[in-house]
Amino acid sequence: LLIGLGESQRQVGDPAFRQTLLDAAGLAQEISDADRLCRAVLANSRGWTSQIAAVDPERVQALEAAAEVLPDRDARRARVLALLGVELVYAGEPARCRLLASEAIETARAAADPSALADVLNYAIWAIWVPDTLQERKPLVRELIELAQRLGDLRLSFIAAAREVMIGAETADRSEVKSGLATMRRLAASTPEPTLVYLGLIHEAGWAIAEGDLQAAERLARNAFDVGR
């Protein structure tokens, strides 16, 4: 019940989802229920780091607890490891983030679970997002886009398109940025989740700056701020 409530809170943009799912994870640990612990920690994410330039220690602790009780070759453990890497991005441990991402991808591939692999790629890309990993990330983003399309997962396809926009901006590829933004606009209309609306506005604002339209960028950034709050 708590897990379902937390998921619903997250989907409608209620920040109370964090504590609801932490409570669910705590209860699952108390009764040694690995399945519910895993479900709670994986649901307790907005899709990238919980905070910019900071670490959420309670989320990290819950993820580490889940990783300890899940079997090594379990596809769920792959998801947990990858998300843990994301939550540790600002912990000053880049080597650990890379190891977590690598192990998560290897485990997901071994499990032969396309859905798990797609989630893991999404998290792993973010966990290793630093300039010197560009050539490593580019094929992972392409694979994520193809997997999301094959799975028919609209939310994941939106996130994959956002990754495409970021890669395009990083490599000064205007066509890639425009393609990703067009996909995000199309999917946002059919998947009206607050997190996706926020992400869409953020990327639109960034592109408006690149295009030199500072008035539009200001408007979009303010809208993103309002939605994000």
Side-chain angles (χ1 to χ4, degrees), residues 49-228:
T49 48
S50 296
Q51 303 174 56
I52 299 300
V55 176
D56 187 324
E58 291 179 296
R59 277 179 165 139
V60 167
Q61 185 278 326
L63 285 161
E64 289 176 334
E68 287 178 7
V69 298
L70 290 168
D72 287 346
R73 296 186 176 276
D74 193 316
R76 296 172 300 171
R77 187 169 187 272
R79 284 184 166 105
V80 168
L81 291 175
L83 184 53
L84 178 58
V86 170
E87 292 292 355
L88 291 171
V89 161
Y90 296 107
E93 301 178 74
R96 186 184 180 193
C97 290
R98 294 198 69 166
L99 284 173
L100 287 166
S102 178
E103 183 180 353
I105 291 173
E106 182 180 340
T107 301
R109 293 197 193 283
D113 183 333
S115 179
L117 178 59
D119 286 339
V120 165
L121 288 174
N122 175 38
Y123 291 137
I125 290 164
W126 189 260
I128 64 169
W129 203 295
V130 291
D132 64 359
T133 63
L134 174 61
Q135 297 308 317
E136 183 179 349
R137 287 180 281 114
K138 286 172 69 176
L140 295 180
V141 169
R142 178 51 51 191
E143 184 178 3
L144 173 61
I145 291 170
E146 293 172 356
L147 260 177
Q149 291 174 345
R150 193 157 72 241
L151 291 166
D153 188 323
L154 298 183
R155 187 181 194 280
L156 192 58
S157 290
F158 181 97
I159 298 297
R163 300 285 185 260
E164 180 184 21
V165 170
M166 294 170 74
I167 288 286
E170 195 171 354
T171 58
D173 186 331
R174 295 174 66 88
S175 63
E176 190 167 21
V177 172
K178 289 185 174 181
S179 172
L181 286 174
T183 300
M184 291 174 74
R185 292 182 195 117
R186 176 173 55 81
L187 293 174
S190 57
T191 317
E193 186 179 324
T195 298
L196 304 190
V197 175
Y198 169 74
L199 276 177
L201 289 167
I202 287 272
H203 285 78
E204 295 279 9
W207 184 240
I209 291 173
E211 293 275 76
D213 190 345
L214 301 186
Q215 190 171 33
E218 171 100 6
R219 174 177 51 79
L220 289 162
R222 289 183 180 277
N223 288 347
F225 179 74
D226 291 339
V227 173

